[in-house]
Amino acid sequence: EADGTLDCISMALTCTFNRWGTLLAVGCNDGRIVIWDFLTRGIAKIISAHIHPVCSLCWSRDGHKLVSASTDNIVSQWDVLSGDCDQRFRFPSPILKVQYHPRDQNKVLVCPMKSAPVMLTLSDSRHVVLPVDDDSDLNVVASFDRRGEYIYTGNAKGKILVLKTDSQDLVASFRVTTGTSNTTAIKSIEFARKGSCFLINTADRIIRVYDGREILTCGRDGEPEPMQKLQDLVNRTPWKKCCFSGDGEYIVAGSARQHALYIWEKSIGNLVKILHGTRGELLLDVAWHPVRPIIASISSGVVSIWAQNQVENWSAFAPDFKELDENVEYEERESEFDIEDEDKSEPEQTGADAAEDEEVDVTSVDPIAAFCSSDEELEDSKALLYLPIAPEVEDPEENPYGPPPDAVQTSLMDEGASSEKKRQSSADGSQPPKKKPKTTNIELQGVPNDEVHPLLGVKGDGKSKKKQAGRPKGSKGKEKDSPFKPKLYKGDRGLPLEGSAKGKVQAELSQPLT
Amino acid sequence: MATEGSGDAKAESDLASANRIKQVSEKTNYALKFTLVEHTEAVSSVKFSPNGEWLASSSADKVIIIWGAYDGKHEKTFYGHTLEISDVAWSSDSSLLVSASDDKTLKIWDVGSGQCLKTLKGHSNYVFCCNFNPPSNLIVSGSFDESVKIWEVKTGTCLKTLSAHSDPVSAVHFNCKGSLIVSGSYDGVCRIWDTASGQCLKTLVDDDNPPISFVKFSPNGKYILIATLDNTLKLWDYTRGRCLKTYTGHKNEKYCIFANFSVTGGKWIVSGSEDNLVYIWNLQSKEIVQTLQGHTDVVISAACHPTENIIASAALENDKTIKLWISNY
């Protein structure tokens, strides 16, 4: 059921939830990344990331970083709390997808157009080009598996390679065939957040679901059978984007032709529901919330939220309430109207006393099972789940009983210090001149450099490569406008003026002396 | 040789400190350190800031006062409410306060500037209790109009209204993850709600249902402390729906007295009382380990410092003072 929309102001192109589903990052047409607080359905932060449309986004595992790709071939890493750009990479061709290594956020997988996938190491800005099956066919898409141990790549001839992430060794491969041994191009590979299943979206409009473990046992040139083959036989719908639900039990696929979402149950393969959006709109992206039954879809620049209808659980309102599906004939008990129930047995006394002597632990916190992986022990205590929120201040409130506002203002500087410490530190971070993010040019062999990102309709020109503007300076400017800027923000604005004035005075002084 | 010697000494001191730890957990020795006099009417609530620096107090004299937590120095006064204030709460970064007042509004204050940033209007009767959620992007409030409202901090709009009870709501609290809300009311029923959807998840009712005057989650969110107007405090395991511990000995039949978990030293339950004393119980054994004397009226609120063994207590209009007590354990 439709549960509302998120109004982004700018046209949305792509969206992705963070690991816990508390924040939704939306990449927009105007190069901005808008981060929504999903609990309040309000905007938590806006990062003016690129000048060109943002076409792919990925959250790091601890929620502190975002990696984004724009249609002008730039891949950047952003620090979510500060909005600063940590690093930039310029590629020779447009980027189709960026993905953090699921366990190691130092590694980023980048799929450029007409090129083999590239794995970046952020710490030393180096890159590794992944091996491909057929050098003549470089329309390759790739994805990390759930734990990042392997990288799965797929090309336009339906060949899937499974490479070990560390060594890029080939451990398994198979070819997807359709109908009578024809090959079909791989459009995307998506992994579930739980379990070992993944799906392949191919040009023949069939979604094949496989078990990753079976692929590995089949080895090289294996012939694994898909667990499920999902398709829309009636309309032969091509699929724009598919993904798993948080528990991996359901698969949602967005139609490339109309604004409709199809949901299948993975284990049985039956179509559970079709969600229909506004007619005439084209679907751009679909994302399933990591833990809750909520789907976000983007069409015509608007993010739509789909959720299950909440039915009030009436049994919860009183301990002995029981919801009935239909009328039930009430049978009176023998002792119904007795003042004292003679039939009832003596209540157990010992049980209650034993419980009273139990040790009660009120301080140790249990990690939430839904967020813990089977191979990790503790929840990440330094993870970023929410962004700090400050109330929007429109008009200063009248204080009929209080001291005049001027007296209060002066106390801001000295007294506010300790309670504002947290806010100050974030302001201080931006007061010294901003570090320019490191830009690395990635050279790739044999890659045409006049390709245009599929999102853009027009062919690009060399100009886009030379453009230097629009990043850290842009984000700083943004902070001045947005309502959540930290209050003490004066330092850097004052500096250049002082410097120039001083210089001028000195020049004047020096003259009369001679 | 030198290393062996120091190794022995270390082992000895470890043993000694282990013994000492075992000893101190049995009792507290809270002693009065400061008495804070400023309010001109009954004090309704005192709360320590999460960073441990400040103590906020709300009062029937329509103001909120911030004091230094360690020295009791008066720091700031917040004016703005037009009627008595019943409760005040801190945001997790100690930069915002929310207050609940009889003027049917809640106000969000910026601690640094003393300004009222937002006024939350919507309740149709006295707002009695309020709290921030751990990410501090939501505020929950309970009111005499029998409803619980969830507000968004940023815009000040009411996101959800829960038809929670059939009598005034006396207390609301988020759990440590912010995913659950517990509400208690004079109708004797304690309900647990899912924050995201506003659905009622569970209702806790005891055999007879005395009015509930206060509810609170334990620090790990697994248990609920419920105070009822029959002189009883109970610790419930809400997943099993069972009462695990009962604390008695104090007097509580009329007022909504705040109770607290003290976990900085030993594990205690701290509560005010209508016999002008602050009661401290051993959480596991349920014995009264100490009572603090000094107030001259009902001790309406008792708060525990987040990191040090400090208790702040506040009393009603015969007294109007806040007392800070410090213990070694």
Side-chain angles (χ1 to χ4, degrees):
Chain A
E1 296 273 336
D3 190 29
T5 60
L6 303 177
D7 193 7
C8 253
I9 306 166
S10 31
M11 305 251 308
L13 291 175
T14 176
C15 65
T16 175
F17 283 101
N18 70 351
R19 189 176 152 212
W20 307 271
T22 52
L23 298 171
L24 177 70
V26 178
C28 300
N29 209 11
D30 55 5
R32 286 197 290 182
I33 301 175
V34 182
I35 300 179
W36 292 85
D37 178 333
F38 214 66
L39 192 58
T40 59
R41 303 279 170 95
I43 295 182
K45 199 171 185 84
I46 302 180
I47 302 179
S48 293
H50 301 268
I51 337 165
H52 287 253
V54 179
C55 50
S56 180
L57 281 174
C58 186
W59 286 92
S60 67
R61 189 171 170 76
D62 67 357
H64 277 278
K65 307 275 181 198
L66 270 173
V67 66
S68 69
S70 75
T71 51
D72 60 353
N73 315 349
I74 292 184
V75 171
S76 315
Q77 173 171 274
W78 304 91
D79 180 276
V80 176
L81 263 182
S82 63
D84 292 336
C85 176
D86 291 336
Q87 253 192 339
R88 269 206 332 267
F89 297 88
R90 190 171 287 121
F91 281 79
S93 63
I95 313 295
L96 294 172
K97 177 175 165 177
V98 287
Q99 187 187 15
Y100 272 108
H101 185 294
R103 296 287 153 93
D104 174 12
Q105 49 195 61
N106 192 26
K107 296 203 172 74
V108 176
L109 183 64
V110 181
C111 302
M113 267 180 82
K114 295 278 191 317
S115 153
V118 173
M119 189 157 67
L120 293 172
T121 321
L122 293 175
S123 49
D124 55 8
S125 303
R126 300 179 71 139
H127 67 280
V128 168
V129 179
L130 299 177
V132 287
D133 180 55
D134 182 355
D135 283 331
S136 62
D137 168 22
L138 288 178
N139 284 318
V140 185
V141 292
S143 173
F144 281 108
D145 76 336
R146 180 173 70 97
R147 297 218 183 124
E149 267 184 82
Y150 300 99
I151 299 178
Y152 284 61
T153 70
N155 67 5
K157 301 218 177 93
K159 189 72 185 277
I160 302 279
L161 300 178
V162 182
L163 308 164
K164 199 124 181 33
T165 308
D166 309 325
S167 58
Q168 293 98 52
D169 287 338
L170 181 66
V171 295
S173 66
F174 65 98
R175 193 179 290 276
V176 176
T177 53
T178 180
T180 50
S181 307
N182 281 338
T183 60
T184 172
I186 311 285
K187 285 168 52 175
S188 72
I189 307 172
E190 305 284 344
F191 278 83
R193 282 189 205 244
K194 285 221 175 315
S196 54
C197 293
F198 66 97
L199 62 85
I200 301 182
N201 181 16
T202 43
D204 65 352
R205 300 161 193 206
I206 300 178
I207 301 168
R208 292 173 174 79
V209 183
Y210 294 87
D211 185 334
R213 291 170 298 189
E214 198 188 321
I215 307 295
L216 293 174
T217 46
C218 283
R220 299 193 192 189
D221 292 318
E223 287 180 15
E225 273 299 307
M227 282 171 55
Q228 291 292 348
K229 279 162 99 163
L230 308 170
Q231 56 186 315
D232 176 15
L233 286 164
V234 177
N235 300 320
R236 299 235 334 135
T237 310
W239 308 109
K240 178 86 180 158
K241 170 88 193 279
C242 324
C243 60
F244 283 89
S245 65
D247 55 2
E249 289 305 312
Y250 292 92
I251 294 168
V252 64
S255 155
R257 275 213 209 108
Q258 45 166 324
H259 189 178
L261 299 168
Y262 289 62
I263 304 178
W264 291 270
E265 206 176 319
K266 179 197 82 173
S267 45
I268 308 175
N270 58 328
L271 183 64
V272 176
K273 186 137 185 138
I274 304 178
L275 300 171
H276 288 284
T278 327
R279 280 186 156 277
E281 287 185 352
L282 269 185
L283 210 52
L284 286 171
D285 201 359
V286 178
W288 199 307
H289 191 283
V291 280
R292 290 200 261 143
I294 297 175
I295 298 173
S297 71
I298 298 187
S299 64
S300 301
V302 172
V303 183
S304 309
I305 307 287
W306 307 85
Q308 271 181 348
N309 242 346
Q310 289 293 354
V311 180
E312 197 70 62
N313 180 13
W314 300 110
S315 314
F317 277 91
D320 49 1
F321 271 10
K322 205 169 75 107
E323 274 187 58
L324 300 171
D325 291 328
E326 53 180 14
N327 287 340
V328 171
E329 280 283 329
Y330 184 64
E331 305 235 345
E332 251 178 42
R333 286 176 310 161
E334 187 66 38
S335 53
E336 181 74 34
F337 294 107
D338 292 347
I339 293 182
E340 265 193 32
D341 197 344
E342 294 162 352
D343 293 337
K344 203 158 75 164
S345 48
E346 281 294 312
E348 296 281 316
Q349 284 292 353
T350 47
D353 287 344
E356 290 259 336
D357 291 336
E358 247 175 61
E359 277 272 321
V360 173
D361 178 10
V362 292
T363 42
S364 52
V365 183
D366 284 340
I368 300 178
F371 295 139
C372 287
S373 328
S374 41
D375 61 339
E376 281 184 330
E377 288 167 357
L378 305 162
E379 244 185 86
D380 192 348
S381 50
K382 296 198 289 284
L384 182 67
L385 271 88
Y386 294 96
L387 290 175
I389 296 272
E392 291 169 353
V393 185
E394 286 129 9
D395 301 311
E397 300 249 348
E398 293 289 312
N399 280 345
Y401 299 95
D406 305 313
V408 174
Q409 284 293 343
T410 51
S411 63
L412 186 153
M413 308 302 270
D414 22 65
E415 289 181 355
S418 35
S419 50
E420 273 215 39
K421 226 183 266 177
K422 272 235 173 79
R423 289 235 217 112
Q424 276 226 18
S425 55
S426 59
D428 283 345
S430 46
Q431 277 181 10
K434 259 197 159 63
K435 231 173 39 175
K436 269 200 90 160
K438 195 166 121 181
T439 309
T440 317
N441 284 319
I442 303 282
E443 304 291 327
L444 295 175
Q445 298 280 348
V447 176
N449 53 6
D450 59 348
E451 282 295 326
V452 166
H453 196 282
L455 271 179
L456 301 173
V458 186
K459 204 151 172 66
D461 45 300
K463 257 201 285 179
S464 57
K465 272 204 276 186
K466 294 196 206 136
K467 273 216 181 117
Q468 295 290 329
R471 303 134 272 107
K473 216 163 88 161
S475 60
K476 201 157 95 163
K478 175 277 310 179
E479 276 187 77
K480 289 194 172 94
D481 307 325
S482 81
F484 350 87
K485 61 173 187 208
K487 281 213 213 113
L488 305 172
Y489 202 77
K490 328 173 307 251
D492 38 31
R493 256 193 290 175
L495 283 173
L497 290 174
E498 282 179 15
S500 58
K502 257 200 216 144
K504 212 165 143 210
V505 167
Q506 279 179 4
E508 285 178 357
L509 271 180
S510 60
Q511 284 194 357
L513 282 176
T514 51
Chain B
M1 279 291 277
T3 44
E4 270 183 62
S6 57
D8 283 345
K10 188 173 180 307
E12 273 183 16
S13 67
D14 278 349
L15 196 59
S17 64
N19 282 335
R20 242 189 298 139
I21 292 171
K22 238 173 68 171
Q23 282 175 346
V24 297
S25 297
E26 300 301 324
K27 265 202 182 293
T28 58
N29 64 349
Y30 277 96
L32 178 63
K33 249 343 215 337
F34 297 104
T35 302
L36 315 180
V37 185
E38 191 83 27
H39 282 294
T40 52
E41 296 284 339
V43 186
S44 52
S45 166
V46 282
K47 299 263 176 80
F48 280 102
S49 64
N51 64 2
E53 298 273 326
W54 314 104
L55 179 71
S57 65
S58 62
S59 162
D61 60 7
K62 312 180 196 125
V63 302
I64 302 164
I65 298 184
I66 307 264
W67 318 79
Y70 301 111
D71 55 8
K73 221 173 58 119
H74 171 182
E75 197 62 43
K76 219 172 235 150
T77 310
F78 296 83
Y79 301 90
H81 275 297
T82 50
L83 284 178
E84 293 85 333
I85 307 175
S86 301
D87 196 5
V88 68
W90 289 89
S91 66
S92 309
D93 59 1
S94 307
S95 66
L96 298 175
L97 281 174
V98 63
S99 57
S101 165
D102 285 359
D103 62 8
K104 306 184 199 153
T105 70
L106 293 120
K107 280 185 187 284
I108 304 179
W109 309 85
D110 175 62
V111 175
S113 64
Q115 293 248 322
C116 168
L117 296 175
K118 285 241 175 285
T119 303
L120 313 179
K121 298 189 186 147
H123 278 295
S124 49
N125 209 324
Y126 311 142
V127 193
F128 198 67
C129 43
C130 57
N131 250 309
F132 275 95
N133 67 340
S136 296
N137 52 4
L138 294 179
I139 290 174
V140 65
S141 65
S143 159
F144 266 54
D145 66 5
E146 301 167 10
S147 72
V148 170
K149 279 184 189 284
I150 303 178
W151 310 81
E152 185 188 354
V153 170
K154 211 178 102 196
T155 55
T157 47
C158 176
L159 293 177
K160 282 194 185 69
T161 303
L162 313 175
S163 316
H165 292 276
S166 46
D167 266 325
V169 180
S170 51
V172 283
H173 192 227
F174 278 100
N175 67 342
C176 58
K177 298 233 160 50
S179 52
L180 299 175
I181 297 172
V182 64
S183 68
S185 156
Y186 285 174
D187 61 5
V189 162
C190 169
R191 294 211 157 107
I192 300 170
W193 310 82
D194 173 51
T195 309
S197 59
Q199 266 204 325
C200 175
L201 297 175
K202 203 168 179 115
T203 302
L204 300 173
V205 185
D206 212 351
D207 288 332
D208 37 56
N209 46 352
I212 293 179
S213 54
F214 182 70
V215 290
K216 185 177 178 142
F217 275 105
S218 64
N220 63 358
K222 282 208 238 174
Y223 307 99
I224 298 181
L225 186 65
I226 303 183
T228 43
L229 293 183
D230 61 350
N231 313 308
T232 317
L233 270 163
K234 287 193 175 158
L235 189 67
W236 282 73
D237 176 351
Y238 62 88
T239 42
R240 288 186 286 178
R242 269 197 321 171
C243 168
L244 296 177
K245 308 266 180 202
T246 309
Y247 308 94
T248 51
H250 63 305
K251 190 154 170 297
N252 188 2
E253 279 168 352
K254 204 165 144 205
Y255 293 97
C256 290
I257 298 183
F258 286 84
N260 247 299
F261 292 88
S262 170
V263 297
T264 45
K267 306 275 186 285
W268 322 109
I269 299 281
V270 177
S271 169
S273 167
E274 284 155 16
D275 56 9
N276 308 355
L277 303 173
V278 177
Y279 279 74
I280 307 177
W281 292 265
N282 181 311
L283 190 143
Q284 310 293 359
S285 73
K286 301 162 289 189
E287 294 167 346
I288 299 176
V289 297
Q290 205 185 353
T291 54
L292 310 179
Q293 205 177 23
H295 282 290
T296 52
D297 201 351
V298 170
V299 180
I300 189 77
S301 176
C304 300
H305 192 278
T307 47
E308 304 289 329
N309 298 322
I310 308 177
I311 291 179
S313 61
L316 295 185
E317 54 262 12
N318 221 9
D319 179 304
K320 304 196 256 276
T321 67
I322 300 163
K323 292 189 188 286
L324 285 174
W325 315 77
I326 302 192
S327 162
N328 290 334
Y329 316 111

